[in-house]
Amino acid sequence: MAYQWLPPSEKHQPLWPGECVEIRELPNGLRLEIWDYSRRLAGDRWLVGLLIQIPIRPSREHFSSPELYERFVREEGLFYYRYRKERHFVDEREREAVFFSLKENFLRAALDYLSHPEFAERFLATEVPLYERRIQWEEEVRRREEEAERLEELWRDRPL
């Protein structure tokens, strides 16, 4: 999978810097962050990168068990709605105009959707089950690996 730029956090440091260029408080109480992670590629050519993210904090009621909720709070803390758009090999003189165009086109198309009063609930209704299935899958893989190691140890010194 190709590298995807993410804003800096306690758990992640990006390969190159970015800048939060705008924060908007949405009518539904969410905070929309607009990040510019553009960088020079070669000479006067740029990668123009736009990341729009909305952090969403779930509550205990969104999870099927208190244990999964506690694990999520400990390991993740927040879900993020993220939208990413990039343009490659943009002339340096056009960089700001391209970024502005990417940002405005997204906001024009999606701002009403993101501002909907039920956006967070609907988003969490999708993301929490995906998180729970991933955790269950990771636990199953861990159990199978432990069983394989246990059988390997049990049969290691036995003659064939």
Side-chain angles (χ1 to χ4, degrees):
M1 185 169 152
Y3 177 77
Q4 291 190 339
W5 187 91
L6 292 173
S9 66
E10 291 178 8
K11 299 177 183 178
H12 174 75
Q13 286 303 313
L15 294 179
W16 63 89
E19 176 184 9
C20 184
V21 295
E22 188 176 342
I23 295 178
R24 290 191 184 192
E25 298 299 327
L26 300 177
N28 57 9
L30 298 174
R31 186 183 79 232
L32 181 137
E33 302 171 359
I34 301 173
W35 289 82
D36 179 357
Y37 62 93
S38 301
R39 68 182 177 100
R40 182 180 307 276
L41 292 175
D44 67 345
R45 298 298 156 174
W46 283 70
L47 168 123
V48 176
L50 165 74
L51 174 71
I52 304 225
Q53 74 175 12
I54 300 175
I56 301 174
R57 185 175 308 281
S59 64
R60 188 178 306 272
E61 294 77 39
H62 292 104
F63 289 81
S64 62
S65 74
E67 295 80 19
L68 284 171
Y69 173 73
E70 294 301 325
R71 181 173 178 172
F72 176 80
V73 168
R74 188 174 56 252
E75 294 176 358
E76 307 288 333
L78 294 169
F79 284 108
Y80 288 93
Y81 165 84
R82 287 193 171 116
Y83 172 84
R84 179 183 324 274
K85 196 73 167 179
E86 296 178 348
R87 293 286 182 263
H88 296 269
F89 297 104
V90 174
D91 187 286
E92 186 170 23
R93 295 170 296 205
E94 299 170 4
R95 182 177 68 85
E96 289 181 21
V98 169
F99 180 83
F100 181 79
S101 174
L102 292 174
K103 178 183 86 161
E104 291 303 313
N105 287 341
F106 173 81
L107 293 175
R108 190 172 30 259
L111 196 56
D112 288 341
Y113 167 71
L114 300 173
S115 298
H116 191 279
E118 296 177 10
F119 173 77
E121 286 300 315
R122 292 176 179 172
F123 180 77
L124 292 172
T126 301
E127 292 298 313
V128 170
L130 289 173
Y131 171 80
E132 290 182 347
R133 283 197 299 269
R134 188 189 84 208
I135 295 301
Q136 290 169 351
W137 176 78
E138 289 172 356
E139 289 296 319
E140 180 63 25
V141 168
R142 184 188 56 76
R143 277 193 297 276
R144 288 183 184 197
E145 287 175 350
E146 287 174 357
E147 179 65 11
E149 287 176 15
R150 186 186 71 76
L151 291 174
E152 178 72 26
E153 187 65 32
L154 181 66
W155 291 94
R156 177 174 299 158
D157 297 328
R158 301 237 174 154
L160 295 176

